Amino acid sequence: MIPFNEARQKVLSEAKALPIEPCPLSDLSGRILAQDVASTFDIPPRDNSAMDGFAVRHADMAGASSDSPVILEIIEDVPAGTIARRAVGAGQATRIMTGAQMPEGADCVVPVELTETGIRKTEVRIRNGVQLGEHVRKRGEDVRAGEVLIKKGTRLRPQEAGLIASLGMTGVLVSRKPIVGMLSSGNEIVDPGNPLGPGQIYDANRYSVAAQARSVNAEVKDYGIVEDDLAKITATLERAAAECDLVLTSGGVSVGDYDLMKQALSKLGEMNFWQVAQKPGKPMAFGFTNGKPVVGLPGNPVSSMVIFEQYVRPLLLKMQGAGTILREQLTAVSDQEIIKPAGRMEFMRAAVEWRDGRYHARLAGPQGSGILTSMVRADGFVILPEEAVHVMPGDAVTVELF
Ligand code: AMP
Ligand code: MG
């Protein structure tokens, strides 16, 4: 058996960068940025008002009180999107709306709630002044021209899309979406929608793993369920390798397996059939067909998802140039005793919740590698090292949320 870290390192070291392409604003979410994004101008571009109110000179409000309000002459109205034509002089005020550029001469804004205007609306009374500069958004307080705001390799979220739009850009360069081919094998596997014969089960992996792949931007090409026929498996693998950036197969890679997946994979290129010191997912295959990476996932539905999470997800993110490819790990308190023997790193499905200021983890049910319901009840993995471990209730454990 090879250690988990060594196997993952081998897979990740083979990541080839995908080409980059322009991406419009509307499609940015989740994509991996392939350039630094900097602003060519300050945001805000000029000082502007943070409130609806009156732009005034701070010096004019000295001594304003409820007994002796300051009275200023209103010289102009400046709604957002228009520019003041006049400078505010001593004893004067300009009515201003949120976001409008500050007029010359004014150095603070008195919110409308703190003012009274007479019937003629040519005068404003101020009983309580504001601080110098108060309610003014300063030029460049958000963004400085030339500043790099989003780094190459960032996975773009909605707020990055918003900022890129604020810079006036119509799109940015991102990594192309990886095209991932997915096929299931096994004569017992039936596609949902068809009746089950004796000894048959429905295909889960082509849907769970495809969804995992889409969550890291993959465009999934479905090659269906391929029956255990060497010529058919070989032909499908060759076609997938020609059409995709990465191929995922399900089933038929374990020891003593008479499935033809192993034979087909070996025949088509350099393939490693690893026994990795991990649970679940001990048997897995990794190699190349026509220069394209191929990951042979074990057929057990939880194993295939774990191998995707731990190997394929970071591989696809690395191919897209992501700066961060592994999930964050956190520490949780185990709410139960867990005993594991030495030998394999274990990814145990766990329900994780925040309680009394800490994360708490509890196993999400039976841990058999075919038991998908405990995956459904889980929020993440408790990851236990290769050594023998005896976790007592209250002990700290490492958790990865998915
Ligand atoms: P294998 O890796 O082919 O030896 O399969 C291991 C177990 O996973 C067997 O019980 C298979 O029936 C089951 N299995 C294989 N492929 C799938 C699939 N696509 N969906 C659900 N279960 C599967
Ligand atoms: Mg099989």
Side-chain angles (χ1 to χ4, degrees):
M1 282 202 294
I2 62 171
F4 167 75
N5 282 317
E6 189 184 320
R8 179 152 77 180
Q9 201 38 52
K10 284 202 166 112
V11 170
L12 295 180
S13 69
E14 299 291 352
K16 285 207 191 69
L18 288 161
I20 62 178
E21 64 182 18
C23 181
L25 285 173
S26 51
D27 292 339
L28 290 183
S29 204
R31 302 294 291 274
I32 310 296
L33 186 63
Q35 63 171 95
D36 283 344
V37 170
S39 179
T40 54
F41 55 88
D42 288 340
I43 299 178
R46 302 265 184 282
D47 291 0
N48 71 48
S49 177
M51 300 290 274
D52 292 338
F54 292 89
V56 301
R57 296 157 75 104
H58 183 252
D60 280 350
M61 291 183 302
S65 70
S66 37
D67 291 345
S68 63
V70 166
I71 300 174
L72 302 174
E73 176 202 358
I74 301 171
I75 58 166
E76 196 177 356
D77 264 8
V78 185
T82 65
I83 299 287
R85 282 165 288 119
R86 298 178 58 186
V88 175
Q92 298 182 325
T94 290
R95 195 193 308 272
I96 195 165
M97 297 297 141
T98 306
Q101 185 177 318
M102 288 292 285
E104 290 294 314
D107 52 20
C108 57
V109 171
V110 182
V112 68
E113 301 90 316
L114 303 182
T115 67
E116 294 157 25
T117 46
I119 292 172
R120 281 164 50 231
K121 308 237 176 203
T122 56
E123 282 178 359
V124 57
R125 283 164 174 266
I126 299 168
R127 293 181 192 276
N128 285 298
V130 296
Q131 307 277 311
L132 182 64
E134 204 170 342
H135 306 306
V136 177
R137 301 168 179 154
K138 300 300 283 180
R139 168 182 183 160
E141 75 173 22
D142 188 357
V143 171
R144 289 264 170 216
E147 189 186 343
V148 172
L149 300 166
I150 315 172
K151 287 229 163 71
K152 182 175 171 172
T154 301
R155 188 154 188 213
L156 300 173
R157 301 167 298 170
Q159 54 267 52
E160 277 86 26
L163 182 57
I164 291 166
S166 306
L167 302 178
M169 304 171 81
T170 54
V172 286
L173 295 174
V174 299
S175 170
R176 173 164 74 59
K177 291 184 172 188
I179 301 167
V180 173
M182 176 80 214
L183 61 110
S184 288
S185 71
N187 278 344
E188 78 279 29
I189 309 300
V190 175
D191 213 22
N194 299 294
L196 279 185
Q200 295 189 315
I201 56 167
Y202 285 122
D203 188 353
N205 302 348
R206 235 168 78 249
Y207 300 97
S208 55
V209 174
Q212 286 180 301
R214 283 189 200 98
S215 76
V216 283
N217 303 323
E219 213 141 88
V220 177
K221 264 186 183 281
D222 183 11
Y223 292 90
I225 300 165
V226 186
E227 65 190 86
D228 285 336
D229 172 300
L230 187 58
K232 282 185 183 155
I233 295 179
T234 308
T236 308
L237 276 171
E238 277 186 310
R239 190 156 60 86
E243 295 172 347
C244 302
D245 300 306
L246 173 92
V247 180
L248 299 174
T249 69
S250 153
V253 292
S254 49
V255 215
D257 220 322
Y258 283 89
D259 298 86
L260 298 156
M261 179 60 71
K262 253 172 123 169
Q263 286 184 46
L265 287 169
S266 328
K267 199 176 108 180
L268 288 174
E270 5 141 14
M271 233 334 125
N272 305 287
F273 295 92
W274 286 331
Q275 297 295 311
V276 183
Q278 67 195 4
K279 190 180 175 182
K282 184 169 72 158
M284 64 178 282
F286 177 70
F288 294 88
T289 291
N290 288 331
K292 302 290 180 57
V294 179
V295 182
L297 304 169
N300 274 308
V302 177
S303 307
S304 61
M305 288 195 76
V306 169
I307 299 298
F308 186 94
E309 261 289 315
Q310 296 299 326
Y311 294 82
V312 185
R313 183 179 188 276
L315 176 62
L316 287 172
L317 287 170
K318 195 172 175 197
M319 288 164 69
Q320 295 173 76
T324 303
I325 61 171
L326 298 180
R327 286 204 198 265
E328 219 173 298
Q329 296 190 330
L330 47 94
T331 301
V333 174
S334 178
D335 278 351
Q336 70 187 86
E337 186 178 26
I338 307 171
I339 299 173
K340 89 169 260 303
R344 298 205 258 162
M345 182 179 267
E346 291 200 24
F347 299 91
M348 304 188 105
R349 283 143 269 168
V352 181
E353 64 170 355
W354 180 261
R355 186 164 22 94
D356 305 327
R358 296 194 283 186
Y359 281 108
H360 289 255
R362 163 164 290 280
L363 298 185
Q367 298 286 318
S369 56
I371 299 179
L372 208 44
T373 50
S374 50
M375 194 70 183
V376 167
R377 292 187 187 109
D379 307 294
F381 296 124
V382 163
I383 302 178
L384 299 175
E386 279 171 29
E387 306 86 80
V389 184
H390 189 163
V391 175
M392 293 301 288
D395 284 355
V397 287
T398 297
V399 164
E400 237 173 63
L401 298 175
F402 42 67

